[in-house]
Amino acid sequence: MTDTTIVAMTEVTKAYGELRALDAVSLTVAAGEWVAIVGPSGSGKTTLMNIVGCLDRPTDGTVLLGGVDVTRCAAAELTQVRREQVGLVFQRFHLIPHLNALENVMVAQYYHSLPDEAEAMAALTKVGLAGRAHHLPSQLSGGEQQRVCIARALINDPALVLADEPTGNLDAANAQAVMRLFRELHEQGTTLMVVTHDPKVAALSEREIVLDHGRIEREEFHVQS
Amino acid sequence: MSTTKGTFRAAMLARSLTRRRSRVVIAVLAVAIGAATMFSLSTIAIDIPKHLALDIRSVGANLLVSPSETDTMSQQVVADVTAALPDGSVVARAGFRFETVRINQQPFIAAGTDMADAQSVKGYWSVDGDWPEHPGEVLLGTEVAEWVGLRVGDPLTLSYDDETLRLRLTGIADTGGNEDALVVLSMDDLETLTGSGAVVHLAEFSVALDATTLEAVAAAITAQVPYATAAVVQRLARSEADVLAMLRSLLSIISVVVLALTMIGVSTTMAAVVSERRTEIGLRKALGAGDAEVVAEFMGEALVLGALGGLLGVGTGYLLAQYVSQQVFARPVAFTPWLAAATFAAALLTTWGAGLLPVRKAATIDPAIVLREE
């Protein structure tokens, strides 16, 4: 692992009894890299995402996130690492329905350090939603909600933005808008790990890791235009 | 500009309460209904028996004072015994002097008394006509009136030894007992007729005390007032105590049942509220909230709901108590501040207790499970 390695997984296994959701997976993600994790349903990509995102622990192997061995962390430490190192983007957005866009971004700050309205507004501006800051999620389109999610994921300057099927609940136009945003973030140096079953989304990444039955089947590299 | 965590936490709480109005209303109502029922029943249980005790006193005296050494006592006995009884406990009192008089040569027992006092202690007498209000007026029991064949408004003459006294019959009393054979006139008129001084043979008291206290007070009076013996009318005192005790027990049992039902109702509501927000809890944990933080945030909301429900419940409960008391007992109830505070505290405690288990359970959920898409 180099100083620029954000994620380093070594022989990571996640077993549920006899079933191995992940089977001795090893991979690294460098700073500023855009990696797509693809595979059919049941391939282990969500399990991998949960382990990298410190939402789950492997049964075996080690995971270094920003240099921290998260496999040795107690629950509270794991929460702290997740808070400081990872920004999460969900397929279903998971915005708190009774908080407006600005407040949803500030919630992430609240659990990290101190809520800062100006910083939260800057994050929303970055994703093109300054004018919708005081709207509730129910008043935003799917694409707008996902962009609020992205602003929330970015607000604490995480080492890694982890997106689980970010366009899964969006129409084509909104999906394109979100992917454009991801491209901009990537160009600005944000490290992205996107879990997707959509080949078009995967094709936008620098590196595509294909999972099948919990193992890495192949890796593909894409030339960025 | 940074906001303090406390300020943002308060803002999140305010948003949760104001932007989830329908859920908040349901939760607050669940608490308020329980608090209102409990407060109204408790208010009635505390206040009404006091009034009923006074009402029950109108069925007659429950404490009789008679001479211990001689046949008669001074009229001062009424004041002396009243002073020996706890302040505010005497509902009615009267002293009676009994002499044998004649109407048309027939002997009858005459009771000389203060008419206002007698009217209060004999409130159960049914009087056709009026109680005597002036000297020269008399009240006859129904038996006497029948025997001598007189009607209200008729004149009559009482004889005692060689003395006579002319009176006007103002009322005929149906007492439901031996007192139907009495001739009731003012103490002054009886003294004029008999030519002798101010004495009484019996003093009757209607006292608003429970049976056990009354027994003790009667013994104390007998000890303190040397010329008198006080005795409790046992049958009356015990029946009254039993009725009031039954009423208090019934209302207490109902209050406990209501409290239990409220706990169940609030628990169900809180469990539903928490269950609905499982995803939010999972998200907060995914964003970095610890279990204790999640519990504190949600329990803070529960306490606010409990407080709102408690306030609403106490206010509504008081109005309900007034309505029920007027409809059932035809009297108002007093507002009891300590009871209101206790009901409010019970509402808070109930909501807190009802919310704690579902919130603690929800706080331990795995965010990966709740937020998973597959």
Side-chain angles (χ1 to χ4, degrees):
Chain A
M1 179 173 157
T2 68
D3 285 345
T4 61
T5 303
I6 301 299
V7 179
M9 295 175 67
T10 309
E11 297 287 305
V12 168
T13 297
K14 180 71 181 181
Y16 300 98
E18 295 293 321
L19 174 69
R20 289 188 167 217
L22 282 181
D23 192 1
V25 168
S26 296
L27 68 86
T28 57
V29 178
E33 201 175 3
W34 181 349
V35 173
I37 309 292
V38 299
S41 186
S43 61
K45 54 185 192 297
T46 300
T47 305
L48 187 147
M49 188 200 83
N50 287 339
I51 288 172
V52 170
C54 300
L55 293 170
D56 198 0
R57 284 179 212 274
T59 318
D60 220 345
T62 56
V63 179
L64 295 174
L65 182 62
V68 178
D69 184 354
V70 297
T71 46
R72 294 182 190 280
C73 288
E77 288 172 300
L78 209 61
T79 301
Q80 187 181 353
V81 170
R82 182 168 68 247
R83 199 158 53 214
E84 292 172 358
Q85 304 283 356
V86 182
L88 294 165
V89 179
F90 304 99
Q91 179 179 353
R92 284 200 190 152
F93 326 133
H94 291 315
L95 295 175
I96 297 172
H98 54 270
L99 298 180
N100 63 30
L102 188 67
E103 289 158 347
N104 264 287
V105 176
M106 290 172 75
V107 167
Q109 290 178 307
Y110 171 77
Y111 290 118
H112 178 268
S113 50
L114 273 183
D116 188 314
E117 198 173 310
E119 279 184 17
M121 186 59 89
L124 283 175
T125 305
K126 196 169 176 180
V127 299
L129 284 178
R132 308 284 273 163
H134 299 288
H135 286 77
L136 294 173
S138 58
Q139 298 166 322
L140 301 173
S141 69
E144 288 170 336
Q145 289 187 61
Q146 192 61 294
R147 281 190 275 160
V148 174
C149 236
I150 294 168
R152 182 179 66 190
L154 292 170
I155 190 66
N156 295 320
D157 232 351
L160 173 71
V161 172
L162 193 51
D164 180 21
E165 304 278 8
T167 59
N169 264 23
L170 302 176
D171 58 34
N174 279 310
Q176 275 187 16
V178 167
M179 293 323 297
R180 254 196 314 272
L181 184 53
F182 270 30
R183 198 152 41 210
E184 282 168 26
L185 293 174
H186 176 241
E187 284 165 7
Q188 288 162 19
T190 305
T191 307
L192 294 166
M193 182 182 270
V194 178
V195 172
T196 184
H197 67 269
D198 187 340
K200 282 188 253 177
V201 172
L204 294 171
S205 66
E206 283 180 275
R207 182 157 65 107
E208 191 178 322
I209 296 171
V210 182
L211 288 183
D212 192 21
H213 288 96
R215 285 174 169 265
I216 296 178
E217 194 183 81
R218 67 180 186 279
E219 280 190 44
E220 289 176 21
F221 293 86
H222 302 293
V223 175
Q224 300 274 288
S225 56
Chain B
M1 191 175 91
S2 294
T3 309
T4 63
K5 287 193 108 165
T7 307
F8 189 68
R9 190 164 46 241
M12 282 202 291
L13 176 60
R15 301 290 180 269
S16 178
L17 295 173
T18 55
R19 291 178 184 160
R20 293 172 49 247
R21 265 191 292 269
S22 59
R23 296 292 183 271
V24 168
V25 164
I26 289 168
V28 168
L29 278 179
V31 178
I33 287 168
T37 314
M38 228 181 78
F39 184 65
S40 60
L41 283 175
S42 303
T43 298
I44 292 169
I46 286 169
D47 212 48
I48 291 301
K50 281 189 248 171
H51 294 291
L52 282 183
L54 295 177
D55 272 356
I56 288 171
R57 292 291 79 253
S58 70
V59 303
N62 57 355
L63 182 71
L64 303 178
V65 177
S66 52
S68 57
E69 290 165 356
T70 58
D71 289 340
T72 59
M73 306 177 281
S74 156
Q75 282 184 20
Q76 182 61 29
V77 68
V78 175
D80 287 347
V81 171
T82 302
L85 288 165
D87 286 343
S89 65
V90 178
V91 177
R93 71 215 181 138
F96 295 92
R97 175 184 171 183
F98 301 104
E99 300 291 351
T100 303
V101 299
R102 292 189 308 280
I103 305 174
N104 300 337
Q105 305 303 315
Q106 292 299 319
F108 297 101
I109 301 295
T113 184
D114 177 286
M115 284 300 170
D117 285 352
Q119 193 170 353
S120 68
V121 89
K122 302 294 184 186
Y124 59 92
W125 286 5
S126 172
V127 174
D128 174 25
D130 298 307
W131 280 79
E133 286 178 7
H134 309 289
E137 295 178 346
V138 69
L139 180 76
L140 296 183
T142 52
E143 267 183 41
V144 180
E146 237 177 79
W147 188 267
V148 298
L150 291 174
R151 290 179 302 186
V152 173
D154 288 347
L156 70 146
T157 303
L158 295 185
S159 304
Y160 180 84
D161 288 345
D162 296 324
E163 297 298 320
T164 60
L165 185 67
R166 198 163 169 76
L167 302 160
R168 188 174 70 84
L169 178 60
T170 62
I172 297 173
D174 182 354
T175 72
N178 295 339
E179 289 154 333
D180 283 347
L182 281 182
V183 176
V184 182
L185 69 167
S186 71
M187 194 69 84
D188 289 341
D189 281 344
L190 189 58
E191 282 171 20
T192 303
L193 180 61
T194 61
S196 57
V199 294
V200 294
H201 293 96
L202 178 71
E204 295 187 7
F205 294 83
S206 190
V207 186
L209 291 173
D210 62 87
T212 309
T213 309
L214 193 58
E215 297 261 11
V217 165
I221 289 168
T222 302
Q224 285 170 28
V225 184
Y227 55 85
T229 302
V232 173
V233 181
Q234 291 291 351
R235 181 180 49 81
L236 206 58
R238 296 276 169 213
S239 298
E240 174 186 333
D242 289 346
V243 165
L244 293 177
M246 278 193 287
L247 180 63
R248 281 200 186 94
S249 294
L250 175 65
L251 292 172
S252 299
I253 289 168
I254 294 174
S255 294
V256 168
V257 169
V258 164
L259 183 62
L261 290 174
T262 302
M263 278 286 296
I264 293 169
V266 173
S267 288
T268 312
T269 306
M270 290 303 296
V273 165
V274 170
S275 173
E276 223 175 49
R277 297 174 71 185
R278 279 181 88 240
T279 306
E280 182 187 333
I281 292 170
L283 171 73
R284 286 179 185 268
K285 291 190 70 173
L287 292 177
D291 289 2
E293 230 168 335
V294 170
V295 171
E297 283 165 19
F298 278 76
M299 290 316 297
E301 270 192 49
L303 281 178
V304 172
L305 294 174
L308 290 173
L311 280 174
L312 182 62
V314 166
T316 316
Y318 180 62
L319 294 174
L320 183 63
Q322 286 293 4
Y323 175 76
V324 169
S325 183
Q326 290 286 4
Q327 293 297 314
V328 176
F329 303 105
R331 62 183 75 248
V333 284
F335 181 79
T336 312
W338 69 261
L339 185 63
T343 304
F344 181 76
L348 278 181
L349 211 61
T350 303
T351 315
W352 186 82
L356 190 62
L357 189 60
V359 168
R360 284 181 72 174
K361 205 173 158 190
T364 59
I365 57 172
D366 186 344
I369 294 172
V370 173
L371 300 173
R372 178 174 18 211
E373 300 309 335
E374 288 178 353

